Amino acid sequence: MSRPRFSLGGLLWATFAAIALCGLGVPAVADADDSVSSAEPRPPLVVVRTVGAVSDADARLACRALLAQLQVRCEVRAGRPTDVLASAFDARRAQIDARKGLELLFRDRAADALIEIDLTGADIFEDGKPFVFGLASLSDRIAIISTARLQSSDESLYADRLTKLVMHEAGHTFGLHHHAQDDCVMRRDPSVVSLDDAPTTPCRRCRTKLHRRARTLARPGQLALDRARGLLVRRDPDTARQLLLGTVWAGEYSSAVLHEFGIAFHKSGQLDDAIGILQFLVEESPNHARGHVSLGVALQARGDSGDRAKAIAHFKRALELRPEWTTVATHLAALERRTG
Ligand SMILES: [Zn+2]
Ligand SMILES: [Zn+2]
């Protein structure tokens, strides 16, 4: 294992200049070296935990539902008292603010969980709504589900309701958005009546997406990448750097994950870090066209002496690798005209 060569010195935060990849219209296609390894990786780990008065049987039911429908591992971990969510409690409404709750749960989450689903017996709400059954963060891959409004004397009806919510919120943690389709568990169900009419499974399209995502989420380094992104958004680049370094030192990453680390640091304004990571990437994987483009974009954004010339060289290298990449060619031509 070679030692990581990039320096991870601290930098001040800056606002992300929106010139990054979206500005270049980078097509969503994978480089050859972005593909997921053919060796079957371990499925992503989902941890289910309870907060307050929820039975472990509910947590086990949640795991069973996930294992039946998704390519995941699932573990029920020890429950925690309601105190964990105390500062998210809105006394006026006598409900938990679900967004604040998710933030608290992010800080308290299981260290090894790629996805965490927390079940609470407390009623929860989101601004502008009288209540919500659940809420998930697509980026942090964490969800909170309330059983407060699911209760029924009919046990199978209760189990059905909980299964639908678990599948729906888990879908979000896999990055899926709502899907306005009657036969899809990713549809919106704002009332118990609507929930009782909903299916317990995703539609075919969403199921395909979930299977694909499960493979992506199983990539080496994904857990550290997700955590680093969450930390960068919360303005904790030092801990994000430690995660990145640990991942690189352990050699537990793919080039695709390293590329996404670089983009995450760029987006959070940590340009020196982003450039260091992306340089390391293209040295390790010289044919990573997207890596060259992302490095060019980061160098151009930093704009130190010599950065523009280096950026031009990386855009050219990307075009050698992928001559059909017209958005990069157009961008390069404009940059060269401005450089004179
Ligand atoms: Zn939803
Ligand atoms: Zn769907």
Side-chain angles (χ1 to χ4, degrees), residues 99-315:
R99 279 191 189 278
K100 287 184 184 168
L102 278 184
E103 186 60 28
L104 294 169
L105 293 169
F106 173 81
R107 295 174 191 287
D108 187 53
R109 67 189 298 180
D112 58 343
L114 192 86
I115 289 167
E116 180 165 315
I117 294 180
D118 288 279
L119 304 179
T120 177
D123 200 22
I124 62 177
F125 77 97
E126 207 185 348
D127 270 347
K129 296 178 185 172
F131 73 94
V132 289
F133 291 123
L135 192 70
S137 163
L138 276 68
S139 52
D140 293 331
R141 308 194 196 288
I142 190 161
I144 182 169
I145 291 171
S146 166
T147 59
R149 294 178 186 255
L150 309 183
Q151 303 304 326
S152 166
S153 54
D154 179 341
E155 280 183 23
S156 78
L157 180 60
Y158 174 78
D160 259 15
R161 289 172 178 171
L162 184 55
T163 298
K164 292 169 186 179
L165 289 183
V166 167
M167 292 309 301
H168 180 95
E169 300 305 338
H172 285 320
T173 64
F174 269 62
L176 267 62
H177 293 273
H178 286 132
H179 188 202
Q181 187 81 25
D182 283 350
D183 68 347
C184 185
V185 78
M186 293 312 295
R187 69 186 216 174
R188 290 175 194 268
D189 287 297
S191 69
V192 174
V193 172
S194 166
L195 185 64
D196 284 345
D197 182 50
T200 53
T201 55
C203 70
R204 182 183 298 221
R205 191 192 83 173
C206 288
R207 183 176 296 119
T208 303
K209 278 189 191 177
L210 287 164
H211 286 324
R212 204 180 300 136
R213 294 276 164 88
R215 286 183 63 77
T216 303
L217 295 181
R219 296 181 301 188
Q222 182 71 42
L223 178 65
L225 173 64
D226 283 345
R227 291 292 196 281
R229 282 181 178 140
L231 292 162
L232 287 166
V233 167
R234 291 169 176 85
R235 304 191 169 230
D236 184 0
D238 291 338
T239 313
R241 281 188 200 103
Q242 287 167 17
L243 275 171
L244 167 65
L245 267 181
T247 303
V248 174
W249 275 100
E252 292 169 350
Y253 61 92
S254 65
S255 56
V257 162
L258 200 56
H259 182 229
E260 288 177 41
F261 262 115
I263 292 173
F265 274 85
H266 184 160
K267 280 185 174 176
S268 68
Q270 307 292 326
L271 276 173
D272 282 357
D273 291 323
I275 289 166
I277 295 162
L278 293 166
Q279 268 168 349
F280 178 71
L281 166 65
V282 299
E283 281 171 27
E284 276 208 325
S285 307
N287 296 333
H288 199 292
R290 289 201 295 167
H292 284 286
V293 171
S294 299
L295 178 54
V297 170
L299 285 162
Q300 195 185 337
R302 187 171 68 179
D304 284 354
S305 168
D307 278 350
R308 186 174 283 200
K310 286 184 202 161
I312 287 172
H314 284 290
F315 290 136

